[in-house]
């Protein structure tokens, strides 16, 4: 700021504090229009929408840029300012006895002209000298303007040096809120900061993921574009392209932008640029038939149908735009209606406006002001033309934005001047009350009052500038609908940053028309969204919005669409077939209902019945030699224990319970130990009987029932000991096993400490080994009915069953483990049963003739073996 001040001081060529006549720099004659008054309000406005750069000849002083493209919509802002001034001048309450006047300068969208205009306003001379105010006796209160940020910015820099008030009616650049850099800049439109939030929310509301952006090619567009882009990307969407556009672009540059838009798959394009810059681009889009894009325009894009051609209208059909909230201006329409070049000659550009409105030309040059470029009109204007019907479309009065904000700016000045001149105390101004007279007021005093004085327009709504010099933000969301060649601007919603998060944006979606290509909200995405059951997989080197959908892997699911990850289900659940939700795992156990269970139960029944029958036969024939010869008592014990072996299989089938789990392995171990130990006892008895053939043998005294009883007793007591320890230390319990098989839960008995299970099994294995070895040694002992051979064979069967059981047991899961164990029990028991008892039954039932004493007494020992 100091730098600018120094330059200004140097330029203004101060001698003894006053400009030396003739020493001022050669500038341009200012083309400002002034309506005199006690207080003056300066206006730097866009009236013409474009300019022509004069050719530099270097032979004469460069001329000021000339303007072209007078545009009624922009001119309307000037009329708004004048309307407010008229209103205030007529008002008995506001600034009584003081007339407001104004000074107007047309910037024609040119930065150079805007700065020049501002300087000339400040100094009040035709050839401006900064810091000198030559408006006397009128006081230049402050400046209203500019419409666009890019033009307001340089003015704000210069005026801030002089602490000269400036109120913009259209500049939304958020950087201008920085009061350290721009202390004298105020505005009646909200800063972009809220607009960016609004745009981002709008985009996520409609679920657009893949967007293009068009921004104006200057600092303002650059900055704003970056902020909007950051907002879009933060909300998870992606910007496919960000193209720049400017009024001054050549056709080739414009075609390049069209190429980019045409090549892209985006359906939605964010437009952050004053409307004049995109005019040519829209026409080019129409000519190249690049349609089917929906534009979202930021507040810097003024929706001014009159500026655009019919072609551009068609391209803009369906556009959603934000415009700063606009209030009512009662009486403005009548004011416009009454405009006439003869009666309203105190207003600038009246003649030009008339020519434009009626496509005619005034016969004399003198009446027109401004544009040096004359439209070649067929007719001459007469002044008898009437605005009539065309008034509302000519002035586009259905959207008064910016005009209303210019109108408000005048009221802001009026209210603060009123307060200042009336010596009103305004809260926050502590210094001696500055009750100025018109001649002694300084710009910084006005600025202070401006910042603190509440102001209101005719409608009564009260505004105050906040600390940043902005007024509270609020936007209307508009929709462009081109129906039957009419440009309709329909209000479809609101954005209110003060509201709660979910109410900030309200949209009536049913009121929106999306243009002729879309019947409802267009989809704009790089990739189609992923169904539940799939996850996104980013494509290498492309934005995050471009992805492939890959199905979730086994055991994982994604229950929402567009999930970036698949998730594991809880332990007791499992993904369904679609992998889009978790379903409870199937509980598995060996039940009585299923075929396998039924088969096993049937086998158990058959075998136990068979055992029972054999027992019955044995008891029936208990006095016959074949039974007596083979140790009757042991046979009964063995048969009964085998029967229990079969029956204990039933404990393994069915839903596990604490009871069945406790009983299962314990019963099995004990009952099995009894069987094997009976077999062992049998073998021992065979050997003893043989060794004791000699009547004098000392072994004969062992031939009684003592040994078998002790063997069986001892073995079962040992096994019972192991089992008791098992029950005490870590008893088996029922458990839901969710880990071992992924899609099922196995309802099983946890055996508690494995050590005990292996001890019990090992003990039985040891018994079986001993029986086998003993029986093997005795197999060739002579004798008509040597049981040792049968026992050897049965132990072989028994061992092979249990040896093959081990790998089968370890390799199966769930109910099959149980089934394998049952099968092993059945097979080994059946092996014992058949090997040891079937031959005897055969003799008993089929060959009773062999069942006589002679056959068995050839071996004399047999009588001692039998009981
Ligand atoms: C305005 O002027 C009239 C007549 O000159 C005078 O009577 C009135 O008091 C003035 N009002 C103010 C507020 O100065
Ligand atoms: C939304 O727009 C439709 C169509 O314009 C209109 O009928 C309806 O009343 C509007 N709803 C609201 C809540 O404004
Ligand atoms: C604009 O879009 C509407 C539908 O949204 C359609 O009816 C109308 O014909 C379109 N206008 C033009 C000029 O394409
Ligand atoms: C999706 O699953 C998660 C847990 O995996 C759960 O918290 C969430 O509620 C589920 N959502 C839906 C829509 O089912």
């Amino acid at each position: 700021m100091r730098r600018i001040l120094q330059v200004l001081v140097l330029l203004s060529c101060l001698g003894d504090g006053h400009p030396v006549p003739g020493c001022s720099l050669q500038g341009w004659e200012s083309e400002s229009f002034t309506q005199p008054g006690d207080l003056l309000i300066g206006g730097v406005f866009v009236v013409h929408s474009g300019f022509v750069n004069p050719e530099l000849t270097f032979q004469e002083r460069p001329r000021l840029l000339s303007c072209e493209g007078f545009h009624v919509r922009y001119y309307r802002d000037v009329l708004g300012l004048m309307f407010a001034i008229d209103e205030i001048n007529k008002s008995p309450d506001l600034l009584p006895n003081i007339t407001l006047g104004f000074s107007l300068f047309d910037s024609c969208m040119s930065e150079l002209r805007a700065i020049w205009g501002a300087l000339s306003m400040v100094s009040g001379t035709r050839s401006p000298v900064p810091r000198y105010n030559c408006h006397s006796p009128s006081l230049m209160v402050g400046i209203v303007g500019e419409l666009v940020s890019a033009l307001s910015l340089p003015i704000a820099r210069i005026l801030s040096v002089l602490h000269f008030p400036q109120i913009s009616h259209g500049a939304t650049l958020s950087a201008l809120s920085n009061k350290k850099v721009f202390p004298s800049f105020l505005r009646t439109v909200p800063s972009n900061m809220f607009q960016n939030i609004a745009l981002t929310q709008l985009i996520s509301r409609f679920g657009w993921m893949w967007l293009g952006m068009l921004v104006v090619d200057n600092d303002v567009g650059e900055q704003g574009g970056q902020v909007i882009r950051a907002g879009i990307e933060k909300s998870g969407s992606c910007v496919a392209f960000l193209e720049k556009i400017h009024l001054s672009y050549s056709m080739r540059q414009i075609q390049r932008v069209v190429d980019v838009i045409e090549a892209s798959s985006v359906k939605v394009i964010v437009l952050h640029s004053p409307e004049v810059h995109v005019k040519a681009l829209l026409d080019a889009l129409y000519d190249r038939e690049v349609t089917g894009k929906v534009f979202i325009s930021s507040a810097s894009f003024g929706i001014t149908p009159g500026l655009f051609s019919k072609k551009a209208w068609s391209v803009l059909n369906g556009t959603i735009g934000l415009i700063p909230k606009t209030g009512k201006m009662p009486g403005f329409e009548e004011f416009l209606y009454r405009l006439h070049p003869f009666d309203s000659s105190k207003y600038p550009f009246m003649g030009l406006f008339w020519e434009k409105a009626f496509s005619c030309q005034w016969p004399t040059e003198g009446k027109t002001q401004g544009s040096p470029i004359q439209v070649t009109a067929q007719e001459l204007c007469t002044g008898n033309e009437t605005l009539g019907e065309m008034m509302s479309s000519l002035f586009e009065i259905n959207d008064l934005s910016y005009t209303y904000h210019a109108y408000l700016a005048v009221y802001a000045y009026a209210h603060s001047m009123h307060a200042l001149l009336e010596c009103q105390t305004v809260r926050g101004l502590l210094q001696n009350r500055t009750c100025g007279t018109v001649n002694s007021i300084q710009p910084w005093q006005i600025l202070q009052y401006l910042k603190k004085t509440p102001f209101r327009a005719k409608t009564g709504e009260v505004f105050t500038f906040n600390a940043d010099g902005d007024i509270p933000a609020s936007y209307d969301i508009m929709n462009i609908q081109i129906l039957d060649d009419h440009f309709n601007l329909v209000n479809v919603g609101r954005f209110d940053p003060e509201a709660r998060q979910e109410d900030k944006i309200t949209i009536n979606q049913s009121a929106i028309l999306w243009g002729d290509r879309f019947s409802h909200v267009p989809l704009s995405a790089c990739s189609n969204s992923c169904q539940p059951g799939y996850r996104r997989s980013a494509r290498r080197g492309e934005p995050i919005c471009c992805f492939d959908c890959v199905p979730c892997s086994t055991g994982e699911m994604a229950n929402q669409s567009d999930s970036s990850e698949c998730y594991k289900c809880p332990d007791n659940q499992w993904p369904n077939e679609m992998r889009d939700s978790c379903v409870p795992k199937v509980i598995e156990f060996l039940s009585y209902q299923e075929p396998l269970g039924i088969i096993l139960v049937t086998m158990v029944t058959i075998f136990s019945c068979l055992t029972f029958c054999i027992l019955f036969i044995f008891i029936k024939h208990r006095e016959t030699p074949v039974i007596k010869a083979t140790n009757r008592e042991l046979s009964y014990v063995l048969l009964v224990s085998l029967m229990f072996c079969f029956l204990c299989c039933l404990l393994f089938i069915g839903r596990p319970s604490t009871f069945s789990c406790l009983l299962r392995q314990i019963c099995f171990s004990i009952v099995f130990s009894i069987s094997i130990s009976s077999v062992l006892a049998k073998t021992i008895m065979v050997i003893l009987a043989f060794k004791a053939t000699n009547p004098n043998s000392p072994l004969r005294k062992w031939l009684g029932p003592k040994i078998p009883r002790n063997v069986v007793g001892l073995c079962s007591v040992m096994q019972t000991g192991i089992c008791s320890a098992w029950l005490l230390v870590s008893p088996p319990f029922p458990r839901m096993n969710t880990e071992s098989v992924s899609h099922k839960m196995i309802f099983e008995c946890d055996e508690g400490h494995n050590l005990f299970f292996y001890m019990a099994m090992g003990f039985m294995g040891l018994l079986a080994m001993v029986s086998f070895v003993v029986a093997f040694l005795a197999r060739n002992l002579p004798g008509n009915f040597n049981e040792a051979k049968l026992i050897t064979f049965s132990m072989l069967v028994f061992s092979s069953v249990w040896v093959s059981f081990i790998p089968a047991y370890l390799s199966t899961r769930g109910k099959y483990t149980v089934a394998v164990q049952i099968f092993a029990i059945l097979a080994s028991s059946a092996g014992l049963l058949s090997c040891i008892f079937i031959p005897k039954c055969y003799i008993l039932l089929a060959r009773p003739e062999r069942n006589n004493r002679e056959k068995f007494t050839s071996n004399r020992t047999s009588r001692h073996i039998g009981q």
Side-chain angles (χ1 to χ4, degrees), residues 490 508-512:
V490 180
N508 183 356
Q509 283 206 28
S510 56
I512 300 179

Side-chain angles (χ1 to χ4, degrees), residues 557-560 567-570 573 580-582:
M557 64 95 203
N559 60 358
Q560 267 140 358
Y567 303 95
K568 283 213 155 35
C569 286
Q573 296 187 343
D580 58 2
S581 67
C582 291

